[in-house]
Amino acid sequence: MARSRPRRRADDAGSLDGLLASREIVVACGPGGVGKTTTAAAAAAMAAARLGGKVLVLTVDPARRLADALGLEGIGNTERRVPLETFVEAGVKPMGELWAAMLDTKESWDALIRHHAPDARTREEILANPLYRNIAGRFVQSHDYIAMERLFEIHSEGTYDLIVVDTPPTRNALDFLDAPERMADFFSSRLLRWLIVPYRSKLVNFASRPFYQVADRILGTQFLADIAEFFILFQSMYEGFVERARSVQRLLADRRTSFIVVSTLEMVPLREAEFFAQALTERRLHLGAIVLNKVLPSYLRDPEAAVVAEALTERAEDLAEALAPKLGAGADVAQVRRVLDEVGRSYLDYRVVAQREAEQRSELAAVPETLVSVPYFETDVYDLAGLLRLGARLWGEDDDPAL
Amino acid sequence: MVGLLDRRLVFVTGKGGVGKTTVAASLALYASEHGRRTLLCEVDAKGDISAYFETGPTSFAGREVLPGLWAMSMDTEASLREYLKLNLRIPVVGRIGPLAKAFDFVATAAPGVREILTVGKLCWEVRERRYDLVVVDASATGHIVGQLAAPQAINELVRVGLIRSQTDWMLDILSDPAQTGLAIVTTPEEMPVNETMELAVKVREETTVELAAVVVNRVLPELFGRGEEAVFEELRRPAAAGVVAEMVGGDPAPVLEAARLAVTLRRTRAGHLERLRQGLDPSVPMLYLPYLFTRSHGLRTIRQVARSLGEELGT
């Protein structure tokens, strides 16, 4: 694999370029609040810019900012191409095309029902069922499932060379991995058939009667009837649905799919990320890389600099007296002393955090082939140029003049 | 507005990674140290609470982890059992058979069931008055509205039945700002601030719970006062840096660079903080907690945060 590497690479930096060049689906997952959405978008933007082909970023994050950064007026359930001018403005001539779509849970569920419903009447009844409307609109786990389902749908159309997916924030990191299987289990459950028996025939099994007594008293008859109607309708779509869920599952395990776990080096997110990486491996899913975001610069761990910082604080008085006359007009000794002291202290403060992070990193148990560190960006990413700057780091390029 | 900890039920939410659990635990610790019998409940039991209090795993039955402070973790199935035991008094309960499986099934099919059992248990603890205050390490921003609005949602779905008749008293507690309040935890960063502002609107429009405070966690310190930044810029010039290098016998460049980074980070965050202030109803109190530059974790961290909270709450 000959790849051109025009810029300097940091010594220990891994790169996502190999992964993004060889896979058709890359799923970004990990704990919330670590920059997963931005990382997915940056990876996709880089792939479109440098590797070529048609690249889609499928996001679940309704953040307007991402749409703005991509030069789109909002992103919807249908894919839209990022205008070429946006790349031109960012000073880049892309090799390929970048497309973006946002997951709309309700719309995707409706599309799925339309696809599977055996006839128009069933379709309309399901779409109108209060329980269905709740499941599609609010039900959290349905979000996990539909994200994977939509990925499957887009992938099977074969329009894109690469799809980068940003996963929904889940209560449990594993929820979305299990979603297809749970969905299949759910609809093939014996309990389901048991539950809807009294609504299909007048014959209620004697053994199940206590259950209905209790269920009736707790939930009310109407509610139970709604549940039953929903499932009776759904049964007509059962086979298609289960088959589909299994296909989604197979796609996730396919060798064309890889996962990247995104985290920061803070303790709680990193613990969650490690757990996740382990779970991927246990399920024989391909863990392609770990991306560590918001990593503090290494000069904060320089032992010599720490000595200097301590000296600035301890000897601030002496230093200020020597320095004050040499500085511009108006700098008095007290002020210079305070600044020196503050500068020294601040270094030592950040050093504590940087060291803590370095320890966390060295303790990282499951290290895949690729480990990418992305530095703490001082300003927020708000345009494509910013995404590509972040993307360059994902490529292992190190263009920070401060280092 | 009623003070945050003068209420009886406080939900704490926030975007993932902002320190929601830490703040919830610190609020509970602070309240218990001020003489209020406090129950801290972890809703999405990840075990973080027990890690903080270094006491081993928490369970559905509350356990006193420090004097006056009880901790529990939510378990919706246990909540259902407790509920059935208290309310149904019918002998078949024990013979329902695979209750766990049946429950799991109904809860999967019927959104709001898990939420109502969570909120129901919390409201029940408030009504029973075994504790003065219940602090909830609640769901993250994405799910909190579903949780708080569960009684209304159930009211819409379930027209009759025992659950229906129960939602009324829950709504009484949740809708009373003297009893119940929500605290949103955020950090002065772009996405958490956006989510906080969006959530504030949704909470007002879709729930009956009052937004009682916004807690801004990890606020970075201001390095320089008025005029000092100009001095700092002077110090970064080669001439001054050379003098320093000579006097301390080492290159000050990384130290000065670190200070510049600190100033920039602080400035970027100040912008988001200002946006948050502008975007929120001015009657909502904002509490600021400093970034902790320490190695400590567990109870030490909680105590530090609790102390800062105390300063912010003005005691």
Side-chain angles (χ1 to χ4, degrees), chain A residues 50-73:
Chain A
R50 301 265 187 100
L51 300 172
K54 276 185 89 171
V55 181
L56 172 72
V57 55
L58 177 62
T59 181
V60 291
D61 193 333
R64 263 175 318 245
R65 185 188 53 149
L66 188 60
D68 290 348
L70 296 174
L72 299 170
E73 281 170 27

PDB file of all heavy atoms in Angstrom, chain A residues 50-73:
ATOM      1  N   ARG A  50      -8.702  13.063   0.717  1.00  0.00           N
ATOM      2  CA  ARG A  50      -7.420  12.454   0.376  1.00  0.00           C
ATOM      3  C   ARG A  50      -7.517  11.123  -0.351  1.00  0.00           C
ATOM      4  O   ARG A  50      -6.652  10.774  -1.131  1.00  0.00           O
ATOM      5  CB  ARG A  50      -6.615  12.211   1.665  1.00  0.00           C
ATOM      6  CG  ARG A  50      -6.329  13.460   2.465  1.00  0.00           C
ATOM      7  CD  ARG A  50      -4.962  14.007   2.107  1.00  0.00           C
ATOM      8  NE  ARG A  50      -4.610  15.112   2.980  1.00  0.00           N
ATOM      9  CZ  ARG A  50      -3.800  14.985   4.028  1.00  0.00           C
ATOM     10  NH1 ARG A  50      -3.288  13.816   4.337  1.00  0.00           N
ATOM     11  NH2 ARG A  50      -3.511  16.034   4.762  1.00  0.00           N
ATOM     12  N   LEU A  51      -8.569  10.334   0.002  1.00  0.00           N
ATOM     13  CA  LEU A  51      -8.623   8.989  -0.556  1.00  0.00           C
ATOM     14  C   LEU A  51      -9.505   8.897  -1.787  1.00  0.00           C
ATOM     15  O   LEU A  51      -9.380   7.970  -2.572  1.00  0.00           O
ATOM     16  CB  LEU A  51      -9.118   7.989   0.494  1.00  0.00           C
ATOM     17  CG  LEU A  51      -8.284   7.869   1.766  1.00  0.00           C
ATOM     18  CD1 LEU A  51      -8.997   7.003   2.786  1.00  0.00           C
ATOM     19  CD2 LEU A  51      -6.910   7.294   1.455  1.00  0.00           C
ATOM     20  N   GLY A  52     -10.444   9.847  -1.905  1.00  0.00           N
ATOM     21  CA  GLY A  52     -11.333   9.833  -3.059  1.00  0.00           C
ATOM     22  C   GLY A  52     -12.529   8.922  -2.873  1.00  0.00           C
ATOM     23  O   GLY A  52     -12.737   8.343  -1.809  1.00  0.00           O
ATOM     24  N   GLY A  53     -13.337   8.800  -3.918  1.00  0.00           N
ATOM     25  CA  GLY A  53     -14.548   7.993  -3.855  1.00  0.00           C
ATOM     26  C   GLY A  53     -15.697   8.762  -3.229  1.00  0.00           C
ATOM     27  O   GLY A  53     -15.571   9.936  -2.879  1.00  0.00           O
ATOM     28  N   LYS A  54     -16.835   8.079  -3.091  1.00  0.00           N
ATOM     29  CA  LYS A  54     -18.000   8.705  -2.461  1.00  0.00           C
ATOM     30  C   LYS A  54     -18.035   8.303  -0.997  1.00  0.00           C
ATOM     31  O   LYS A  54     -18.104   7.125  -0.675  1.00  0.00           O
ATOM     32  CB  LYS A  54     -19.291   8.241  -3.150  1.00  0.00           C
ATOM     33  CG  LYS A  54     -19.638   9.046  -4.396  1.00  0.00           C
ATOM     34  CD  LYS A  54     -20.983   8.634  -4.960  1.00  0.00           C
ATOM     35  CE  LYS A  54     -22.117   9.434  -4.336  1.00  0.00           C
ATOM     36  NZ  LYS A  54     -23.407   9.196  -5.035  1.00  0.00           N
ATOM     37  N   VAL A  55     -17.960   9.290  -0.134  1.00  0.00           N
ATOM     38  CA  VAL A  55     -17.900   9.026   1.300  1.00  0.00           C
ATOM     39  C   VAL A  55     -19.125   9.637   1.967  1.00  0.00           C
ATOM     40  O   VAL A  55     -19.474  10.792   1.704  1.00  0.00           O
ATOM     41  CB  VAL A  55     -16.621   9.635   1.921  1.00  0.00           C
ATOM     42  CG1 VAL A  55     -16.559   9.330   3.412  1.00  0.00           C
ATOM     43  CG2 VAL A  55     -15.380   9.123   1.211  1.00  0.00           C
ATOM     44  N   LEU A  56     -19.766   8.859   2.821  1.00  0.00           N
ATOM     45  CA  LEU A  56     -20.937   9.363   3.548  1.00  0.00           C
ATOM     46  C   LEU A  56     -20.661   9.381   5.042  1.00  0.00           C
ATOM     47  O   LEU A  56     -20.130   8.419   5.592  1.00  0.00           O
ATOM     48  CB  LEU A  56     -22.153   8.462   3.286  1.00  0.00           C
ATOM     49  CG  LEU A  56     -23.397   8.759   4.142  1.00  0.00           C
ATOM     50  CD1 LEU A  56     -24.072  10.052   3.705  1.00  0.00           C
ATOM     51  CD2 LEU A  56     -24.399   7.607   4.078  1.00  0.00           C
ATOM     52  N   VAL A  57     -20.987  10.488   5.685  1.00  0.00           N
ATOM     53  CA  VAL A  57     -20.980  10.477   7.150  1.00  0.00           C
ATOM     54  C   VAL A  57     -22.437  10.454   7.601  1.00  0.00           C
ATOM     55  O   VAL A  57     -23.248  11.296   7.231  1.00  0.00           O
ATOM     56  CB  VAL A  57     -20.179  11.661   7.768  1.00  0.00           C
ATOM     57  CG1 VAL A  57     -20.666  13.012   7.262  1.00  0.00           C
ATOM     58  CG2 VAL A  57     -20.256  11.621   9.297  1.00  0.00           C
ATOM     59  N   LEU A  58     -22.760   9.409   8.367  1.00  0.00           N
ATOM     60  CA  LEU A  58     -24.128   9.227   8.856  1.00  0.00           C
ATOM     61  C   LEU A  58     -24.106   9.554  10.338  1.00  0.00           C
ATOM     62  O   LEU A  58     -23.474   8.849  11.125  1.00  0.00           O
ATOM     63  CB  LEU A  58     -24.565   7.782   8.624  1.00  0.00           C
ATOM     64  CG  LEU A  58     -25.943   7.357   9.133  1.00  0.00           C
ATOM     65  CD1 LEU A  58     -27.051   8.155   8.460  1.00  0.00           C
ATOM     66  CD2 LEU A  58     -26.151   5.868   8.893  1.00  0.00           C
ATOM     67  N   THR A  59     -24.752  10.644  10.710  1.00  0.00           N
ATOM     68  CA  THR A  59     -24.652  11.078  12.097  1.00  0.00           C
ATOM     69  C   THR A  59     -25.994  10.958  12.805  1.00  0.00           C
ATOM     70  O   THR A  59     -27.043  10.954  12.178  1.00  0.00           O
ATOM     71  CB  THR A  59     -24.125  12.526  12.186  1.00  0.00           C
ATOM     72  OG1 THR A  59     -24.024  12.901  13.559  1.00  0.00           O
ATOM     73  CG2 THR A  59     -25.041  13.497  11.461  1.00  0.00           C
ATOM     74  N   VAL A  60     -25.947  10.853  14.108  1.00  0.00           N
ATOM     75  CA  VAL A  60     -27.178  10.811  14.884  1.00  0.00           C
ATOM     76  C   VAL A  60     -27.300  12.090  15.692  1.00  0.00           C
ATOM     77  O   VAL A  60     -28.244  12.301  16.410  1.00  0.00           O
ATOM     78  CB  VAL A  60     -27.185   9.625  15.863  1.00  0.00           C
ATOM     79  CG1 VAL A  60     -27.283   8.339  15.087  1.00  0.00           C
ATOM     80  CG2 VAL A  60     -25.966   9.631  16.751  1.00  0.00           C
ATOM     81  N   ASP A  61     -26.281  12.923  15.571  1.00  0.00           N
ATOM     82  CA  ASP A  61     -26.237  14.128  16.370  1.00  0.00           C
ATOM     83  C   ASP A  61     -26.941  15.260  15.633  1.00  0.00           C
ATOM     84  O   ASP A  61     -26.527  15.648  14.557  1.00  0.00           O
ATOM     85  CB  ASP A  61     -24.771  14.505  16.621  1.00  0.00           C
ATOM     86  CG  ASP A  61     -24.652  15.550  17.694  1.00  0.00           C
ATOM     87  OD1 ASP A  61     -25.616  16.326  17.860  1.00  0.00           O
ATOM     88  OD2 ASP A  61     -23.613  15.611  18.357  1.00  0.00           O
ATOM     89  N   PRO A  62     -28.011  15.774  16.213  1.00  0.00           N
ATOM     90  CA  PRO A  62     -28.754  16.802  15.494  1.00  0.00           C
ATOM     91  C   PRO A  62     -28.105  18.188  15.586  1.00  0.00           C
ATOM     92  O   PRO A  62     -28.753  19.191  15.339  1.00  0.00           O
ATOM     93  CB  PRO A  62     -30.110  16.791  16.201  1.00  0.00           C
ATOM     94  CG  PRO A  62     -29.812  16.343  17.591  1.00  0.00           C
ATOM     95  CD  PRO A  62     -28.605  15.457  17.511  1.00  0.00           C
ATOM     96  N   ALA A  63     -26.825  18.220  15.926  1.00  0.00           N
ATOM     97  CA  ALA A  63     -26.182  19.512  16.117  1.00  0.00           C
ATOM     98  C   ALA A  63     -26.164  20.307  14.811  1.00  0.00           C
ATOM     99  O   ALA A  63     -25.745  19.809  13.779  1.00  0.00           O
ATOM    100  CB  ALA A  63     -24.760  19.317  16.627  1.00  0.00           C
ATOM    101  N   ARG A  64     -26.623  21.514  14.922  1.00  0.00           N
ATOM    102  CA  ARG A  64     -26.612  22.395  13.757  1.00  0.00           C
ATOM    103  C   ARG A  64     -25.189  22.700  13.332  1.00  0.00           C
ATOM    104  O   ARG A  64     -24.889  22.946  12.193  1.00  0.00           O
ATOM    105  CB  ARG A  64     -27.303  23.705  14.111  1.00  0.00           C
ATOM    106  CG  ARG A  64     -28.745  23.758  13.695  1.00  0.00           C
ATOM    107  CD  ARG A  64     -29.308  25.034  14.206  1.00  0.00           C
ATOM    108  NE  ARG A  64     -28.825  25.249  15.564  1.00  0.00           N
ATOM    109  CZ  ARG A  64     -29.583  25.261  16.647  1.00  0.00           C
ATOM    110  NH1 ARG A  64     -30.829  25.116  16.536  1.00  0.00           N
ATOM    111  NH2 ARG A  64     -29.085  25.440  17.846  1.00  0.00           N
ATOM    112  N   ARG A  65     -24.300  22.693  14.323  1.00  0.00           N
ATOM    113  CA  ARG A  65     -22.935  23.092  14.051  1.00  0.00           C
ATOM    114  C   ARG A  65     -22.282  22.236  12.982  1.00  0.00           C
ATOM    115  O   ARG A  65     -21.564  22.716  12.122  1.00  0.00           O
ATOM    116  CB  ARG A  65     -22.126  22.983  15.334  1.00  0.00           C
ATOM    117  CG  ARG A  65     -20.726  23.500  15.184  1.00  0.00           C
ATOM    118  CD  ARG A  65     -19.941  23.191  16.403  1.00  0.00           C
ATOM    119  NE  ARG A  65     -20.022  21.768  16.729  1.00  0.00           N
ATOM    120  CZ  ARG A  65     -19.066  21.090  17.309  1.00  0.00           C
ATOM    121  NH1 ARG A  65     -17.977  21.682  17.662  1.00  0.00           N
ATOM    122  NH2 ARG A  65     -19.198  19.819  17.569  1.00  0.00           N
ATOM    123  N   LEU A  66     -22.567  20.935  13.046  1.00  0.00           N
ATOM    124  CA  LEU A  66     -21.967  20.035  12.071  1.00  0.00           C
ATOM    125  C   LEU A  66     -22.468  20.381  10.673  1.00  0.00           C
ATOM    126  O   LEU A  66     -21.707  20.424   9.724  1.00  0.00           O
ATOM    127  CB  LEU A  66     -22.286  18.587  12.428  1.00  0.00           C
ATOM    128  CG  LEU A  66     -21.556  17.549  11.575  1.00  0.00           C
ATOM    129  CD1 LEU A  66     -20.056  17.694  11.714  1.00  0.00           C
ATOM    130  CD2 LEU A  66     -22.005  16.156  11.947  1.00  0.00           C
ATOM    131  N   ALA A  67     -23.771  20.641  10.577  1.00  0.00           N
ATOM    132  CA  ALA A  67     -24.352  21.041   9.295  1.00  0.00           C
ATOM    133  C   ALA A  67     -23.677  22.315   8.802  1.00  0.00           C
ATOM    134  O   ALA A  67     -23.284  22.422   7.641  1.00  0.00           O
ATOM    135  CB  ALA A  67     -25.854  21.243   9.445  1.00  0.00           C
ATOM    136  N   ASP A  68     -23.531  23.264   9.691  1.00  0.00           N
ATOM    137  CA  ASP A  68     -22.875  24.526   9.338  1.00  0.00           C
ATOM    138  C   ASP A  68     -21.450  24.280   8.855  1.00  0.00           C
ATOM    139  O   ASP A  68     -21.022  24.820   7.840  1.00  0.00           O
ATOM    140  CB  ASP A  68     -22.828  25.476  10.542  1.00  0.00           C
ATOM    141  CG  ASP A  68     -24.214  26.004  10.890  1.00  0.00           C
ATOM    142  OD1 ASP A  68     -25.132  25.817  10.068  1.00  0.00           O
ATOM    143  OD2 ASP A  68     -24.371  26.591  11.973  1.00  0.00           O
ATOM    144  N   ALA A  69     -20.721  23.473   9.610  1.00  0.00           N
ATOM    145  CA  ALA A  69     -19.323  23.200   9.271  1.00  0.00           C
ATOM    146  C   ALA A  69     -19.215  22.563   7.890  1.00  0.00           C
ATOM    147  O   ALA A  69     -18.255  22.781   7.175  1.00  0.00           O
ATOM    148  CB  ALA A  69     -18.682  22.302  10.327  1.00  0.00           C
ATOM    149  N   LEU A  70     -20.235  21.788   7.532  1.00  0.00           N
ATOM    150  CA  LEU A  70     -20.200  21.115   6.240  1.00  0.00           C
ATOM    151  C   LEU A  70     -20.801  21.970   5.130  1.00  0.00           C
ATOM    152  O   LEU A  70     -20.875  21.545   3.986  1.00  0.00           O
ATOM    153  CB  LEU A  70     -20.936  19.774   6.327  1.00  0.00           C
ATOM    154  CG  LEU A  70     -20.320  18.738   7.266  1.00  0.00           C
ATOM    155  CD1 LEU A  70     -21.213  17.514   7.385  1.00  0.00           C
ATOM    156  CD2 LEU A  70     -18.935  18.324   6.789  1.00  0.00           C
ATOM    157  N   GLY A  71     -21.233  23.173   5.494  1.00  0.00           N
ATOM    158  CA  GLY A  71     -21.789  24.071   4.495  1.00  0.00           C
ATOM    159  C   GLY A  71     -23.175  23.656   4.030  1.00  0.00           C
ATOM    160  O   GLY A  71     -23.594  23.958   2.923  1.00  0.00           O
ATOM    161  N   LEU A  72     -23.905  22.912   4.889  1.00  0.00           N
ATOM    162  CA  LEU A  72     -25.253  22.479   4.545  1.00  0.00           C
ATOM    163  C   LEU A  72     -26.243  23.223   5.433  1.00  0.00           C
ATOM    164  O   LEU A  72     -25.941  23.506   6.586  1.00  0.00           O
ATOM    165  CB  LEU A  72     -25.413  20.976   4.776  1.00  0.00           C
ATOM    166  CG  LEU A  72     -24.507  20.058   3.966  1.00  0.00           C
ATOM    167  CD1 LEU A  72     -24.616  18.641   4.490  1.00  0.00           C
ATOM    168  CD2 LEU A  72     -24.875  20.106   2.502  1.00  0.00           C
ATOM    169  N   GLU A  73     -27.396  23.497   4.873  1.00  0.00           N
ATOM    170  CA  GLU A  73     -28.422  24.111   5.715  1.00  0.00           C
ATOM    171  C   GLU A  73     -29.226  23.009   6.365  1.00  0.00           C
ATOM    172  O   GLU A  73     -30.259  22.589   5.879  1.00  0.00           O
ATOM    173  CB  GLU A  73     -29.330  25.013   4.878  1.00  0.00           C
ATOM    174  CG  GLU A  73     -28.701  26.360   4.586  1.00  0.00           C
ATOM    175  CD  GLU A  73     -29.509  27.129   3.565  1.00  0.00           C
ATOM    176  OE1 GLU A  73     -30.724  26.909   3.476  1.00  0.00           O
ATOM    177  OE2 GLU A  73     -28.895  27.936   2.847  1.00  0.00           O
TER     178      GLU A  73
END
